[in-house]
Amino acid sequence: MESFYTQVPLTFFEEDAWKKAAGLCKLQGVTKAMLVFGTVTRRTGLADKVIASFESMAIDVYEWTKVKPDPSYHDINEGGKLARRLGVNAVIGIGGGSAMDTAKGIYAMLGNPDTDNIMDHCFGGRGKAKPIKRPMAMLVMIPTTSGTGSEVSTGAVITDDEINYKATLGGLQILPNVALLDPKLDVTMPFSLTAHTAFDALTHAIESYLVGGLAHKVKPLMNFNPLTDTMGLEAARLIYANLPTVLAHPDDIDARAQVKYGSMLAGIGMCPGGLTLGHGIGQLFGAQWHIPHGLGCALGLVPAIRQGVKVAHNDRARYARLAYNLGLEVAPGAGTAQIAEQIAQAIEALMVTAKIPTVRELGHTADEIDALVEAGMKDPLNFVSVTPDELRAHLEYLFSK
């Protein structure tokens, strides 16, 4: 029997779902809320609408707007200490993955008053992986992108600026209480952000299905399991089928909803299933080159698909199921490696549609590979899934494109 765990937030998937945030907090006795969001969320007007809804419920609102791509542990430390001084009993993340991960970090600081540095609770790099205590406070997420799945996941990515390393903050202690998903909020996303975030979600889905279970080597709760398979396969189908429509017709709410739903499913499935090589390469590129997280993950997806052939858990039938969910026709005599290559080629074609640049188009050259291998093998996401020579081979392929 394959065992697994799961726990999901109270989730509303509907138009204007964000309007429920203040009322749900009021029902739980919230009196002071810290709203975490960035400049774009302010510019769209959503932040002010959410603030007004909380004030209408007589809930004191405090804003934390130090949100940037690759959230820095310095900013989270500062925000967490402020939240403690203010005595907030709710943290509301509004925006994309950076805003939600910042909110999770601040929330974790609330429950650990003896901690001055969130890195003490992070895994990897200089993180000390100390246990997290959940605060007696609400954590609510209002995602304005479709990719990170942070609104329904138990993880957050926090950047250690000094060493260019992306560490993981994780555990059920930072699982949001409430997730409010409104596909209409995604319509304002530009082409590149739509593409990058969708590929982040697609990588969650496929990577957790094929290689994520290797994470059990360092995180025993994570392994291959039927829940992750179900969520990953359906998420891959939804995103792969609908992303081209969304990119061509950004106002298509129905297609946006399918991608957002797929992102949510992938976010739920990746927690018990784990993430390894795809995000390991993505986080390596993100930390070293400071490119968007979803772009890095897009570049790491094909290596994850190919590496999965070497995983004992995977057989021809598993790859064939994934190909079927992507709408690909598998030849009766095709072996596992052939199907994997067929899937990889289909993903690369979608990358072209999504205008995902190659590493060379990003301005990087193969003489960086040695340093990338050295840095990459320090990340648990990589060293549980590949040898240094295997990572080098995957990077050489990416640099050959």
Side-chain angles (χ1 to χ4, degrees):
M1 182 186 73
E2 293 178 301
S3 61
F4 61 90
Y5 77 93
T6 186
Q7 184 173 342
V8 297
L10 173 63
T11 302
F12 292 88
F13 192 102
E14 60 186 45
E15 187 172 329
D16 294 331
W18 63 268
K19 292 181 179 179
K20 296 183 182 294
L24 290 168
C25 285
K26 189 70 174 180
L27 285 173
Q28 296 299 317
V30 171
T31 56
K32 298 180 180 180
M34 176 174 278
L35 273 57
V36 181
F37 58 89
T39 55
V40 173
T41 304
R42 169 79 79 190
R43 192 161 57 242
T44 63
L46 177 61
D48 290 336
K49 292 177 182 177
V50 177
I51 290 169
S53 70
F54 272 78
E55 291 176 340
S56 72
M57 293 280 181
I59 298 174
D60 293 338
V61 173
Y62 304 93
E63 300 176 21
W64 183 257
T65 58
K66 289 188 177 181
V67 173
K68 58 187 179 184
D70 303 330
S72 164
Y73 79 93
H74 294 290
D75 293 336
I76 289 171
N77 287 344
E78 186 182 348
K81 292 172 186 176
L82 176 60
R84 291 197 298 230
R85 288 198 302 271
L86 294 171
V88 304
N89 49 5
V91 179
I92 319 297
I94 314 169
S98 297
M100 292 189 286
D101 285 359
T102 299
K104 285 182 172 179
I106 290 172
Y107 183 77
M109 294 282 286
L110 268 181
N112 297 270
D114 296 331
T115 297
D116 290 327
N117 188 351
I118 192 62
M119 293 301 295
D120 289 347
H121 301 285
C122 290
F123 183 83
R126 297 191 297 183
K128 298 179 180 178
K130 292 182 179 179
I132 306 169
K133 296 177 183 177
R134 189 175 184 102
M136 297 298 291
M138 290 275 286
L139 180 61
V140 179
M141 296 297 176
I142 304 173
T144 61
T145 64
S146 294
T148 71
S150 189
E151 71 275 7
V152 291
S153 80
T154 58
V157 178
I158 297 174
T159 300
D160 187 338
D161 313 76
E162 284 87 7
I163 62 171
N164 285 332
Y165 187 90
K166 290 190 172 185
T168 301
L169 179 70
L172 290 169
Q173 301 89 334
I174 59 168
L175 180 74
N177 299 96
V178 178
L180 302 171
L181 294 86
D182 177 2
K184 189 174 65 174
L185 297 180
D186 292 5
V187 170
T188 58
M189 283 198 294
F191 185 99
S192 61
L193 184 59
T194 297
H196 295 168
T197 54
F199 260 94
D200 186 13
L202 186 60
T203 305
H204 290 157
I206 295 176
E207 179 186 351
S208 62
Y209 178 75
L210 291 177
V211 295
L214 298 173
H216 79 273
K217 297 175 183 177
V218 290
K219 295 183 177 180
L221 282 176
M222 293 180 173
N223 210 334
F224 297 106
N225 65 81
L227 176 71
T228 293
D229 288 357
T230 301
M231 297 292 184
L233 288 170
E234 179 63 1
R237 183 187 73 81
L238 290 167
I239 297 166
Y240 184 84
N242 289 281
L243 180 57
T245 301
V246 167
L247 293 173
H249 307 285
D251 293 333
D252 189 326
I253 296 296
D254 289 337
R256 288 276 189 189
Q258 296 301 306
V259 172
K260 198 169 197 70
Y261 181 48
S263 172
M264 185 197 76
L265 293 179
I268 294 171
M270 71 179 174
C271 295
L275 297 172
T276 55
L277 180 61
H279 272 64
I281 290 176
Q283 292 185 177
L284 173 65
F285 290 163
Q288 298 297 317
W289 300 342
H290 304 290
I291 62 173
H293 175 73
L295 171 55
C297 290
L299 295 171
L301 180 51
V302 165
I305 292 168
R306 290 177 171 150
Q307 188 67 27
V309 175
K310 300 180 181 181
V311 177
H313 184 76
N314 293 324
D315 56 15
R316 183 188 184 279
R318 283 182 63 80
Y319 269 93
R321 281 196 294 273
L322 176 57
Y324 174 81
N325 274 53
L326 297 180
L328 307 178
E329 292 188 11
V330 176
T336 305
Q338 290 173 292
I339 301 172
E341 192 57 31
Q342 183 181 2
I343 295 169
Q345 290 176 8
I347 294 301
E348 288 184 331
L350 183 61
M351 290 171 68
V352 172
T353 299
K355 299 181 181 178
I356 301 294
T358 66
V359 294
R360 292 200 297 178
E361 289 171 339
L362 290 170
H364 299 281
T365 57
D367 58 10
E368 300 175 49
I369 291 178
D370 287 346
L372 287 169
V373 171
E374 181 179 359
M377 291 308 296
K378 295 177 182 177
D379 190 334
L381 298 184
N382 291 321
F383 70 62
V384 300
S385 53
V386 288
T387 65
D389 287 343
E390 287 172 333
L391 179 58
R392 178 181 296 277
H394 289 307
L395 293 175
E396 287 175 347
Y397 173 79
L398 294 176
F399 276 91
S400 72
K401 299 291 288 180

